[in-house]
Amino acid sequence: MKASSVKTWHWIHKWTSLVCTVFALLLCITGLPLIFTHEIDHALGNTVDLPELSSVVLEERGGRHGSIDDMVEDARKRRPGHAVQFVSQDDDEPDRWYVRMGETVNARRASAVFAYDGRTGRFVSEYPLDQGVMNVLIRLHIDMFAGLAGTLFLGATGVVLVASMISGVVIYGPYMQKLAFGVLRRRRSARLLWLDVHNLLGIVTLGWFMIVTATGVINTLATPIFGRWQATHLSEMLAPYRSAAPAADDGVESPQRALDAALAHVPDTEVAFMAFPGNDFSGPRQFVAFLRGSTPWRSKLLKPVLMDAQTGRVLDSRDLPLYVSALLVSQPLHFGDYGGAPLKIIWALLDVLSIVVLGSGLYLWLRKRNVSFESWQKSLTAAEDAASGAT
Amino acid sequence: MSRQTTLQIWGMPIFLTALSTVGLVIGLFEDGAADVICHVSLAVPIGVTLRHVGRAFFSKPPGVGPHS
């Protein structure tokens, strides 16, 4: 590569990195404990184990599932006047269900999240929302407490970070002309050592960090992605039923009956979550259940089913468009929660290595700020010649 | 040291990046054996790092020892 090209790419790498390093460090550092959200929530008592049920109780129930109708009725009593937004089933514990309430059915922030025992329909615990360390970490990570604007800003940062990584790979080649892979020159200057550390760790974590960053960017687009789905597919599904007057003799709204109909409609599925009437993810007088498949790959994808709230009848069901599926697949790839505990540990270790890459990059810039590119190159060449002289 | 060849510069980086990507994705598609492949593939970059850090910081420099 020509010397002038190296200088240009070095400049690109420096400036793209400078713009995003502080925010990237924030994301990597807050991200580290977030990998273990499930475990930390448990340790802090934010989530509670389901009670042991005696065999007598289970026999009496004869395998009957607790009713969601009971859960929803209980939730409404605990927050009178508030609206039920969603009911969901835990990914890892099929007997654990959640009811999410909001001041209004479309309020962005939940007013309560209640956990229920699916075997009996009984209340288990209330999740402590908007408080504690985990809440601070997740708010910093998702939007820096700045709502959608914060989220989109972080998404833009992610895009710049991708550019920084690509430019870093471009200048990796020239930097490694005379250095074997993995050599860390410890006995020369601190600056040289940290350069070698930065290059080795950077190139070695590249695959993982690139995917986590790219899926992070996609995740920041969740609101516009779902917004578009609502404005197109959902709107089309609801069109035939919008102008229909409510039937004179309406049945009682039963979420359980509607969900049962949805599950019968799409075989081999479980419910991920179900949106209640009036919510943006459903219709004014309809439920929408988002069902996930039973194989590992299919469980990452969702199929929405539209049901009439009054009769529980399935009205329509359509596959999600590609851009929504891309978002859904980006979630496990970003969180690292699809491969059990070993994957979470690996995720944490790779995150630590990435933090070292970012930190060493920052250090290198601070130490090199007042040095021209040419004299920096000269000092590197001198170090390489000295190293080759010694061997 | 003479100039490194293209393979010497890019061999390991390309191998590790490809291995990581395959490992990440395969864990999404299947459980069981695929999960193990996923874990091992992603552990390799970590292992490579530890190996080289260990070499730089914990091995004796040449010329030290009773027989040099």
Side-chain angles (χ1 to χ4, degrees):
Chain A
M1 194 181 233
K2 288 204 324 283
S4 58
S5 301
V6 177
K7 186 172 179 182
T8 305
W9 279 102
H10 198 274
W11 184 91
I12 294 173
H13 185 66
K14 178 173 90 170
W15 284 103
T16 50
S17 307
L18 278 177
V19 161
C20 67
T21 291
V22 167
F23 298 104
L25 274 169
L26 174 71
L27 291 167
C28 288
I29 292 171
T30 53
L32 192 55
L34 287 175
I35 296 169
F36 302 101
T37 296
H38 193 85
E39 291 75 9
I40 295 176
D41 265 342
H42 216 264
L44 292 176
N46 294 341
T47 57
V48 171
D49 278 338
L50 296 180
E52 291 282 315
L53 288 185
S54 71
S55 52
V56 173
V57 172
L58 287 168
E59 247 178 69
E60 276 175 9
R61 293 197 62 80
R64 267 182 307 128
H65 200 262
S67 172
I68 294 170
D69 296 345
D70 294 336
M71 297 178 197
V72 164
E73 195 189 320
D74 178 274
R76 284 192 174 125
K77 287 200 190 111
R78 289 175 189 272
R79 284 288 188 281
H82 286 208
V84 177
Q85 296 181 335
F86 303 102
V87 162
S88 59
Q89 185 178 19
D90 192 290
D91 285 0
D92 301 314
E93 280 183 87
D95 288 328
R96 182 186 290 274
W97 291 73
Y98 303 100
V99 176
R100 184 184 142 122
M101 315 275 306
E103 278 181 25
T104 64
V105 75
N106 275 314
R108 204 173 144 78
R109 308 290 295 278
S111 60
V113 173
F114 300 120
Y116 288 88
D117 188 334
R119 302 165 299 177
T120 56
R122 284 200 216 122
F123 174 80
V124 171
S125 64
E126 177 175 351
Y127 188 87
L129 288 174
D130 297 335
Q131 52 187 274
V133 169
M134 293 311 289
N135 181 60
V136 172
L137 290 173
I138 209 165
R139 291 245 63 86
L140 280 173
H141 192 87
I142 288 180
D143 62 12
M144 297 186 299
F145 288 93
L148 186 60
T151 297
L152 294 174
F153 174 80
L154 287 172
T157 301
V159 172
V160 177
L161 186 54
V162 169
S164 162
M165 280 190 260
I166 292 172
S167 59
V169 171
V170 171
I171 59 175
Y172 177 84
Y175 270 103
M176 297 303 286
Q177 298 281 23
K178 292 187 183 173
L179 204 61
F181 177 84
V183 167
L184 303 174
R185 288 167 289 189
R186 192 183 152 207
R187 275 169 201 71
R188 313 212 67 87
S189 63
R191 220 160 67 181
L192 212 54
L193 172 64
W194 283 108
L195 174 68
D196 290 344
V197 168
H198 181 81
N199 291 346
L200 175 63
L201 267 56
I203 207 78
V204 150
T205 58
L206 181 71
W208 177 84
F209 199 52
M210 183 67 86
I211 287 180
V212 171
T213 302
T215 52
V217 171
I218 294 173
N219 281 329
T220 63
L221 298 172
T223 300
I225 285 176
F226 278 123
R228 183 165 168 76
W229 174 79
Q230 288 158 358
T232 55
H233 281 235
L234 181 62
S235 198
E236 281 166 25
M237 282 204 281
L238 286 171
Y241 311 103
R242 261 190 224 292
S243 48
D249 181 38
D250 282 341
V252 174
E253 182 183 289
S254 163
Q256 182 68 62
R257 183 180 53 189
L259 181 58
D260 288 340
L263 289 169
H265 186 77
V266 191
D268 286 325
T269 53
E270 291 178 325
V271 66
F273 66 96
M274 184 165 78
F276 273 57
N279 186 278
D280 284 336
F281 283 88
S282 58
R285 286 180 304 280
Q286 293 83 15
F287 291 102
V288 172
F290 290 80
L291 306 181
R292 58 168 172 250
S294 46
T295 66
W297 173 245
R298 288 198 177 288
S299 71
K300 314 288 186 296
L301 303 172
L302 297 178
K303 177 141 188 177
V305 181
L306 182 72
M307 295 90 69
D308 185 279
Q310 245 52 51
T311 63
R313 214 169 40 98
V314 171
L315 301 174
D316 198 352
S317 174
R318 288 187 204 188
D319 285 330
L320 287 172
L322 199 58
Y323 58 88
V324 181
S325 297
L327 172 66
L328 295 174
V329 169
S330 293
Q331 287 174 343
L333 277 174
H334 186 76
F335 305 151
D337 58 356
Y338 60 96
L343 191 64
K344 288 189 185 183
I345 293 171
I346 286 169
W347 225 254
L349 291 171
L350 289 168
D351 191 10
V352 168
L353 292 182
S354 300
I355 291 170
V356 175
V357 174
L358 292 165
S360 58
L362 200 55
Y363 168 80
L364 285 168
W365 171 71
L366 284 169
R367 288 294 307 270
K368 197 196 144 297
R369 250 175 329 167
N370 301 319
V371 173
S372 75
F373 184 70
E374 284 77 15
S375 46
W376 167 239
Q377 284 286 68
K378 261 174 75 177
S379 73
L380 281 183
T381 316
E384 281 156 12
D385 290 341
S388 64
T391 42
Chain B
M1 166 167 288
S2 57
R3 285 173 72 91
Q4 299 277 292
T5 63
T6 305
L7 183 63
Q8 283 169 321
I9 296 175
W10 292 109
M12 274 299 267
I14 292 175
F15 169 69
L16 290 173
T17 302
L19 190 66
S20 307
T21 307
V22 167
L24 277 173
V25 172
I26 210 172
L28 269 185
F29 279 89
E30 293 293 330
D31 281 341
D35 270 341
V36 175
I37 296 174
C38 171
H39 300 151
V40 169
S41 305
L42 289 168
V44 168
I46 299 172
V48 165
T49 303
L50 292 175
R51 177 161 162 254
H52 288 289
V53 169
R55 251 196 210 164
F57 285 85
F58 298 110
S59 60
K60 292 200 176 69
V64 173
H67 300 294
S68 59

